[in-house]
Amino acid sequence: MNLLIKSATILDPGSSFHQQVADILIENGVITRIADDIDADTELFDAEGKYVSPGFFDLNCNVGELGLETKEDLRSGTIAAAAGGFTGIALMPNTQPPVHSKSEVEYLLNRSKGNLVDVYPLGTISQKREGKDLAEMYDMYQSGAKAFTDGSRPVQDAGLMERALLYAQGFDALVFSYPEDTAIAGKAKVNEGEISTLLGMKGIPSLAEELMVARDLYLAEYTVSRIHFTTISTARSVELIREAKRKGIEVTCDVAAHHLVLTDEALLGFDSLYKVKPPLRTADDVAALVKGLKDGTIDAIVSQHTPHEIEFKDVEFEVAEYGMVGLQTAFSLALKAGLPAELIVEKLAINPREILGVELPVIAENEKANLVIFDTDAEWEYAPSVNKSKSANSPYIGQLLKGKVLLTYNNQQIFK
């Protein structure tokens, strides 16, 4: 599909047009010309005062397919992703069955062919996500799995994590760590602190996360391996990773967008829409996460999109499932956290692809068009009619948000 974008401010550190205002002509999926004033007989999009950047990429996204399609399937999930400005998503293997062999990887890749949004299945570290034996990691890698994780289940066995790091190193794959020591976390549902005391609920101490971060950093150092921590949430975790980077350990990490703006005070009304894992933490933790993004300790922002049917969320807080849908709100929440547009592009578009080893789109002539246009000042209501996910478990539905994705383009397809 051909498109002429007029007067856009280009945000792409890999482009010679970075921070310049220009017209962009896209023909047959390729950027054929970038100049001050282009005249072409094709569909026009006026982007004056708006930004254009490489399409966003989500490193932590859940869709129900395989087996849980009533929560979200690939079609609805990729439409929600496109609406949020994402042109690529890495799928967590939290499915039934989990993505633990090449069959599931190949199924997801075949099902998502020809989509505006590029889909990258992540394989499990352990068979059936049970944390006992290594899954068929090399077979999955050969079939297209870019990295390995047990998703929302932490790998409790240090020996298994060590073997996974060593094995993945042999074919230059990446291992994701979801850092939580379940022996410390127990069956608690919220962050341990003043709010959990007020609520009369047993809390998950930040120590549960930080112990696992420390353990896996030691394992990565010992095995001389790369490791990626997904959805860190505490100030001490940021400190540990900052120090590890200073030491030269090959570590990257990401943070969920909602952890940048919400604290555990949101739970005072026992609203299960705010029940997430890791749990919402304190204001000090939020400040440390934002600082970590700004100083480069935290490499990426993720949506941690986790859809659930209403019967799994509209219940008592104790029994409700964890998670919220987040593909359409991630950009707005990053803005709400006080991050400048250029930094958001780095954390939502550039770094995630570099972490996963995915080809980086560039806004330059003769390059494939893979981009998003957004307005940092526009306000929009996340109304039920605007929600593209099959599920509606977000506390932001019905709210007015600032920062709007206006157009997403990839694979010769357009969403606006």
Side-chain angles (χ1 to χ4, degrees):
M1 186 175 188
N2 298 345
L3 179 68
L4 175 60
I5 301 168
K6 298 288 289 184
S7 305
T9 301
I10 297 170
L11 289 183
D12 180 4
S15 170
S16 59
F17 295 93
H18 182 47
Q19 294 183 327
Q20 295 182 32
V21 177
D23 293 358
I24 303 169
L25 179 61
I26 301 169
E27 296 178 299
N28 299 319
V30 176
I31 299 172
T32 55
R33 194 175 170 208
I34 301 177
D36 286 339
D37 190 15
I38 300 173
D39 186 23
D41 184 20
T42 187
E43 182 175 344
L44 187 73
F45 188 92
D46 183 4
E48 186 174 0
K50 318 297 191 294
Y51 294 99
V52 60
S53 80
F56 301 151
F57 191 101
D58 191 8
L59 281 174
N60 188 320
C61 180
N62 294 279
V63 299
E65 201 162 350
L66 307 148
L68 300 170
E69 288 86 354
T70 53
K71 297 180 185 293
E72 193 88 276
D73 56 31
L74 277 170
R75 183 179 179 278
S76 62
T78 52
I79 291 172
F86 292 93
T87 57
I89 53 174
L91 296 183
M92 286 285 157
N94 305 325
T95 51
Q96 291 179 356
V99 184
H100 62 169
S101 73
K102 65 180 183 180
S103 300
E104 292 86 25
V105 173
E106 290 170 359
Y107 170 83
L108 291 169
L109 288 172
N110 286 328
R111 281 278 290 155
S112 58
K113 277 182 180 176
N115 205 301
L116 184 153
V117 179
D118 299 318
V119 171
Y120 297 86
L122 303 182
T124 62
I125 292 171
S126 66
Q127 291 180 23
K128 300 181 181 178
R129 297 172 65 217
E130 291 177 346
K132 295 176 182 177
D133 301 302
L134 284 180
E136 301 168 2
M137 294 169 66
Y138 185 61
D139 282 353
M140 288 189 281
Y141 177 79
Q142 286 190 309
S143 292
K146 290 288 185 181
F148 300 93
T149 171
D150 273 357
S152 57
R153 292 182 186 172
V155 177
Q156 293 301 304
D157 188 325
L160 181 67
M161 180 58 92
E162 181 197 16
R163 291 192 295 277
L165 288 167
L166 284 169
Y167 189 52
Q169 189 183 53
F171 45 96
D172 198 29
L174 181 62
V175 171
F176 280 32
S177 169
Y178 169 61
E180 182 187 75
D181 188 315
T182 56
I184 300 291
K187 295 182 180 180
K189 313 291 183 183
V190 299
N191 180 57
E192 181 182 85
E194 293 181 12
I195 300 301
S196 64
T197 304
L198 281 171
L199 296 173
M201 300 175 72
K202 185 173 173 58
I204 303 173
S206 57
L207 179 68
E209 175 175 307
E210 294 149 9
L211 275 177
M212 194 63 84
V213 170
R215 185 202 77 175
D216 286 350
L217 284 172
Y218 276 121
L219 289 175
E221 183 179 28
Y222 178 75
T223 58
V224 197
S225 302
R226 290 191 299 148
I227 193 166
H228 178 80
F229 292 97
T230 189
T231 63
I232 66 167
S233 65
T234 78
R236 181 65 179 141
S237 292
V238 178
E239 288 178 20
L240 288 166
I241 292 168
R242 184 180 287 124
E243 182 58 32
K245 286 189 171 188
R246 287 197 195 108
K247 288 174 67 176
I249 297 172
E250 284 192 84
V251 55
T252 52
C253 64
D254 65 55
V255 60
H258 49 263
H259 278 115
L260 300 174
V261 295
L262 293 172
T263 69
D264 53 1
E265 291 185 8
L267 304 176
L268 287 171
F270 291 97
D271 187 343
S272 63
L273 290 174
Y274 292 100
K275 184 180 179 181
V276 292
K277 198 100 176 264
L280 299 177
R281 304 288 188 181
T282 67
D284 288 343
D285 292 311
V286 170
L289 293 169
V290 173
K291 181 183 176 184
L293 282 165
K294 291 180 177 178
D295 69 18
T297 302
I298 301 176
D299 303 274
I301 299 170
V302 299
S303 76
Q304 202 186 16
H305 181 79
T306 309
H308 289 297
E309 304 93 329
I310 189 170
E311 60 266 29
F312 289 98
K313 292 296 279 188
D314 191 16
V315 291
E316 293 83 357
F317 191 92
E318 281 284 338
V319 298
E321 293 286 344
Y322 294 104
M324 64 175 70
V325 292
L327 284 167
Q328 289 179 249
T329 55
F331 169 66
S332 295
L333 296 188
L335 271 177
K336 189 176 181 179
L339 303 178
E342 193 169 343
L343 186 64
I344 291 172
V345 169
E346 178 188 326
K347 307 297 184 181
L348 268 181
I350 309 299
N351 289 357
R353 288 183 170 91
E354 291 183 340
I355 289 167
L356 205 60
V358 172
E359 184 179 357
L360 198 61
V362 180
I363 298 176
E365 292 180 354
N366 300 317
E367 292 284 345
K368 179 190 170 187
N370 179 337
L371 52 83
V372 59
I373 301 173
F374 56 85
D375 186 339
T376 55
D377 297 318
E379 292 187 334
W380 62 287
E381 184 187 355
Y382 189 22
S385 59
V386 174
N387 179 38
K388 302 300 182 183
S389 172
K390 274 190 178 183
S391 299
N393 53 304
S394 169
Y396 293 103
I397 290 181
Q399 290 193 25
L400 200 64
L401 298 172
K402 188 176 182 181
K404 186 176 184 181
V405 171
L406 303 173
L407 179 145
T408 310
Y409 188 104
N410 187 33
N411 296 331
Q412 298 192 50
Q413 297 174 59
I414 192 168
F415 183 96
K416 61 180 180 177

